[in-house]
Amino acid sequence: MVLRTPSAAIAAASSRRSILQSTIKSSPRSLLIRRPYSNSPLYSSPFKNRPQRQLPSLSSPFRRTIANLTEPKNDSSSTVASTSPVPPKKPRFRVLRYIWRATWISALGGVAYMAYHIYDSKHPPEQLPQDPTKKTLVILGSGWGSISLLKKLDTEDYNVIVISPRNFFLFTPLLPSCTTGTIEHRSIMEPLRHIIRHKKRAVKYYEAEATKIDMQKRVVKINDFSDIKGSVSETEVPFDYLVVGVGAENATFGIPGVKEHACFLKEIGDAQQIRKKVMDCIETATFKDQTEEEKARLLHMVVVGGGPTGIEFAGELHDFFEEDLRKWVPDISDKFKVTLVEALPNVLPMFSKALIEYTEKTFKDENITVRTKTMVKKVTDKNIDVEITQPDGTKVKESIDYGLLVWATGNAVRSVVRDLMNQIPAQKNSRRGLEVNDYLVVAGTEGIWALGDCSATKYAPTAQVASQQGNFLARLFNSMAKTEAVEVELYNLDQRIQASKDEEEKAQLNAEINIKGRSLSKIKQLSPFEYSHQGSLAYIGADRAVADLTWFGGAISSATGGELTYIFWRSAYVSMVFSLRNRILVLTDWLKTKAFGRDVSRE
């Protein structure tokens, strides 16, 4: 027998204790075995005052005891328990897992869709050259009507020429947001080259302004008014078919001083001018030794026009002040003021009465002054003279000082359209623009169509009307091309019948003529243009909007207003933007404005 020192005994005991603990941990709780303390000197502790727990040795009898305890009992109860089927566990949160997977699949599909469209937009295919045998279709303008026509038109059937002084399409519903920097102007500009480069047959574009339409010679005279002119600044473009979509000018109603002193809101340059002038007024008002009267005048922003454009600009201006100017320029917090002037009894006349009242109440809460039944009579560089109709019918004259005046009301006929109207006797009684028939053909002409704000129809001159007119004309021109192709085939078949002497061949040709004739009648069955009103939207400030919508062709209508409508307003406008590129830019601008605010620097 080998005698161990106390330290060696302690080490051996610790080793066996660790082995036993690992064995017990791996065994079921019911197999925990407790043994009495041993009095063997081998397990005696060097600390005599503290009792030590004796660990059993892992001898063969102990192993057999563990094995016997771990064997299952052969009684009937254990047998039944072991043989009875265990019910499967029901998976928890199955619906959440399906939603999670669907979300991932949708996200991957969206990324793939975006990647494809981005690649497709950056890599246009090869185009067919223009065919001298095809007819020439000239489109004037790059607004809602002209671009809608161009996007849906099959250019394989025509030699298309686009003439416009601006080489982009402007998404005008979001133009008021550019005046305060909520959206950058490039985000709502769709380059015209991006559109025409993706057409099947090459489309020619001339950046010029149409100055005259000669009906007798069937030519359009155009002039290059750019700052850098070439050797030729004026030329003529012949046409077989002509679509006039040049839009309209700002109507001043003959009021003196409007053109000289007011800011308009139709083009991207107008929005940039307003943005610059707002900051000019603010910085000038905070100039050293400025009088209180002059500060009040400079910080008074007046908007003339209670339509959607004027309402949305007033709301954007209020947001700019409340969310940014008040914080960065605290000196003007008690003097900044916005006034809306409208000659009619109420604002937003195309909306329902409930939404008109909601808009006026919201403006009152936002401290925007609404002055209805107020007609502008004269405009100077510092004030406007107005005539107010009182409830009793009396009229009172008043002068309103302003720092910024925005004119957002009415349309006027452009000079090129008026010149064309003077050439056509059937247009002598027209005042609002070119009168057209149910197929948008200009009355008194052949092969000339008009759409958008330059045409006089029974519908309001809105972007929605112009867009639907452009889609209609695209269907019309595509149908005309198919009709002409079928007529050529019918003519050739008729010539073959006359030249043929075989009766069986003549019968086959006659059957083919009948089939072509039926298809031709179907192609010609194009219904006249009928406008389908989808509703009206307007932003009124403070993250609120109003919507007057119609569903199922006008069978159901709804009028809503508030913050949820504002979310719908944003989503609707994003979906209406023509390209994926501009949708991403607009969304990015909104996020940037929310995170960092609007830029208050002067350009």
Side-chain angles (χ1 to χ4, degrees):
M1 180 177 181
V2 180
L3 297 177
R4 300 181 182 179
T5 62
S7 60
I10 292 172
S14 299
S15 176
R16 282 191 290 271
R17 185 185 296 111
S18 63
I19 294 173
L20 180 60
Q21 288 176 350
S22 63
T23 303
I24 293 172
K25 286 180 179 180
S26 63
S27 302
R29 179 178 290 274
S30 61
L31 300 183
L32 295 177
I33 301 173
R34 297 182 180 274
R35 296 284 298 272
Y37 291 104
S38 174
N39 294 324
S40 172
L42 181 63
Y43 293 98
S44 62
S45 173
F47 308 101
K48 295 182 179 180
N49 295 331
R50 295 181 59 186
Q52 293 290 325
R53 182 178 180 182
Q54 302 296 331
L55 298 175
S57 63
L58 298 178
S59 58
S60 58
F62 180 76
R63 292 194 188 97
R64 285 196 297 272
T65 303
I66 296 296
N68 293 334
L69 291 173
T70 56
E71 288 180 358
K73 297 181 180 180
N74 292 328
D75 56 351
S76 59
S77 62
S78 62
T79 304
V80 173
S82 61
T83 57
S84 61
V86 180
K89 294 183 178 180
K90 295 182 179 179
R92 302 175 64 185
F93 308 112
R94 180 183 297 177
V95 176
L96 293 179
R97 283 202 297 270
Y98 288 156
I99 294 175
W100 179 251
R101 292 171 186 171
T103 302
W104 267 106
I105 294 173
S106 301
L108 292 175
V111 171
Y113 173 83
M114 289 180 58
Y116 168 75
H117 276 272
I118 291 173
Y119 177 84
D120 182 65
S121 64
K122 294 178 64 177
H123 299 82
E126 294 294 328
Q127 291 181 306
L128 297 172
Q130 292 205 340
D131 187 354
T133 62
K134 303 289 184 181
K135 292 187 176 180
T136 301
L137 170 60
V138 175
I139 303 174
L140 302 182
S142 58
W144 280 91
S146 300
I147 295 301
S148 297
L149 164 62
L150 188 60
K151 287 180 73 70
K152 297 293 181 67
L153 179 67
D154 188 356
T155 56
E156 282 188 294
D157 302 320
Y158 303 95
N159 294 323
V160 182
I161 299 175
V162 180
I163 300 171
S164 176
R166 64 182 190 193
N167 65 345
F168 58 87
F169 163 73
L170 180 64
F171 189 77
T172 50
L174 289 177
L175 188 60
S177 299
C178 296
T179 59
T180 58
T182 305
I183 293 177
E184 293 300 325
H185 64 276
R186 288 284 176 186
S187 301
I188 60 173
M189 296 165 58
E190 175 71 17
L192 192 58
R193 298 286 183 180
H194 289 186
I195 300 173
I196 64 178
R197 186 60 182 84
H198 282 82
K199 305 303 292 184
K200 293 181 180 179
R201 190 180 296 278
V203 177
K204 290 184 179 180
Y205 167 69
Y206 301 131
E207 188 182 60
E209 185 175 346
T211 57
K212 185 178 179 60
I213 300 172
D214 194 330
M215 286 184 52
Q216 302 299 326
K217 297 181 179 179
R218 298 191 75 80
V219 297
V220 178
K221 295 183 179 181
I222 61 175
N223 201 330
D224 180 14
F225 290 103
S226 61
D227 295 334
I228 302 176
K229 296 183 179 181
S231 57
V232 178
S233 60
E234 187 173 5
T235 184
E236 295 180 350
V237 178
F239 65 86
D240 296 306
Y241 300 135
L242 175 66
V243 177
V244 183
V246 296
E249 295 178 344
N250 296 284
T252 62
F253 305 104
I255 300 173
V258 174
K259 284 187 177 181
E260 294 79 7
H261 306 294
C263 295
F264 300 101
L265 193 51
K266 259 190 179 298
E267 302 292 340
I268 205 67
D270 299 333
Q272 292 174 321
Q273 182 185 4
I274 292 172
R275 188 173 178 177
K276 177 182 177 181
K277 197 160 185 178
V278 168
M279 293 312 303
D280 271 346
C281 290
I282 291 169
E283 297 299 343
T284 306
T286 57
F287 193 71
K288 185 176 182 296
D289 298 333
Q290 194 70 268
T291 62
E292 294 298 321
E293 292 78 9
E294 186 67 8
K295 285 183 181 180
R297 182 189 71 82
L298 290 169
L299 296 176
H300 187 198
M301 313 295 170
V302 177
V303 183
V304 179
T309 301
I311 291 292
E312 290 187 347
F313 172 70
E316 291 284 352
L317 199 58
H318 169 268
D319 291 350
F320 187 31
F321 170 69
E322 290 293 335
E323 298 174 8
D324 300 281
L325 293 177
R326 183 187 290 275
K327 176 170 52 180
W328 301 117
V329 194
D331 297 343
I332 68 170
S333 60
D334 58 340
K335 294 183 177 63
F336 192 87
K337 184 180 178 182
V338 180
T339 298
L340 183 73
V341 176
E342 170 58 48
L344 296 176
N346 51 259
V347 299
L348 297 177
M350 69 289 298
F351 284 74
S352 64
K353 183 179 180 181
L355 292 182
I356 293 173
E357 294 175 353
Y358 177 78
T359 301
E360 292 178 348
K361 180 181 179 302
T362 302
F363 273 19
K364 185 177 180 181
D365 296 339
E366 296 172 358
N367 294 323
I368 298 176
T369 304
V370 178
R371 305 188 66 169
T372 55
K373 297 183 180 181
T374 303
M375 186 174 295
V376 179
K377 292 296 184 180
K378 184 180 178 182
V379 176
T380 65
D381 59 340
K382 294 183 179 181
N383 57 67
I384 59 174
D385 295 336
V386 298
E387 187 179 75
I388 308 168
T389 303
Q390 301 291 339
D392 58 358
T394 59
K395 296 182 179 180
V396 178
K397 292 184 179 180
E398 185 181 340
S399 179
I400 302 175
D401 295 337
Y402 70 88
L404 169 70
L405 175 64
V406 176
W407 196 269
T409 177
N411 291 327
V413 180
R414 292 188 181 274
S415 59
V416 63
V417 175
R418 188 169 298 280
D419 179 75
L420 178 60
M421 292 166 59
N422 294 332
Q423 299 179 45
I424 307 171
Q427 300 284 334
K428 63 179 181 179
N429 295 326
S430 180
R431 295 291 179 268
R432 295 190 298 113
L434 292 167
E435 288 189 0
V436 296
N437 62 11
D438 293 339
Y439 292 89
L440 304 183
V441 178
V442 177
T445 67
E446 184 178 351
I448 300 179
W449 290 261
L451 76 174
D453 294 352
C454 67
S455 63
T457 63
K458 58 183 178 181
Y459 309 112
T462 63
Q464 192 176 161
V465 173
S467 179
Q468 293 187 26
Q469 288 176 338
N471 293 334
F472 170 81
L473 280 186
R475 294 194 302 271
L476 177 65
F477 282 114
N478 294 338
S479 175
M480 288 171 54
K482 292 178 182 178
T483 300
E484 186 175 353
V486 174
E487 288 176 346
V488 170
E489 292 179 2
L490 289 174
Y491 176 79
N492 294 333
L493 289 173
D494 184 65
Q495 295 296 317
R496 289 175 59 187
I497 288 176
Q498 294 180 6
S500 177
K501 297 181 180 180
D502 187 355
E503 296 298 330
E504 184 177 352
E505 183 182 2
K506 286 184 178 181
Q508 292 178 354
L509 292 174
N510 281 322
E512 191 172 352
I513 286 177
N514 291 331
I515 295 174
K516 296 289 185 182
R518 287 194 296 269
S519 66
L520 181 62
S521 63
K522 291 181 180 180
I523 293 172
K524 287 185 175 181
Q525 289 177 357
L526 182 66
S527 301
F529 172 74
E530 190 68 31
Y531 170 62
S532 175
H533 184 61
Q534 304 299 319
S536 302
L537 297 170
Y539 178 62
I540 58 176
D543 292 346
R544 299 176 188 175
V546 291
D548 211 343
L549 306 177
T550 58
W551 312 89
F552 306 107
I556 301 175
S557 61
S558 62
T560 61
E563 296 180 354
L564 290 179
T565 308
Y566 167 69
I567 298 175
F568 174 77
W569 174 83
R570 280 197 165 186
S571 60
Y573 277 1
V574 168
S575 65
M576 290 167 60
V577 175
F578 272 5
S579 68
L580 178 64
R581 164 187 171 271
N582 288 91
R583 293 190 188 105
I584 295 175
L585 291 176
V586 169
L587 289 173
T588 303
D589 287 343
W590 278 336
L591 292 174
K592 182 178 66 177
T593 301
K594 202 67 176 178
F596 305 106
R598 300 166 183 81
D599 190 1
V600 296
S601 60
R602 178 187 179 280
E603 295 182 358

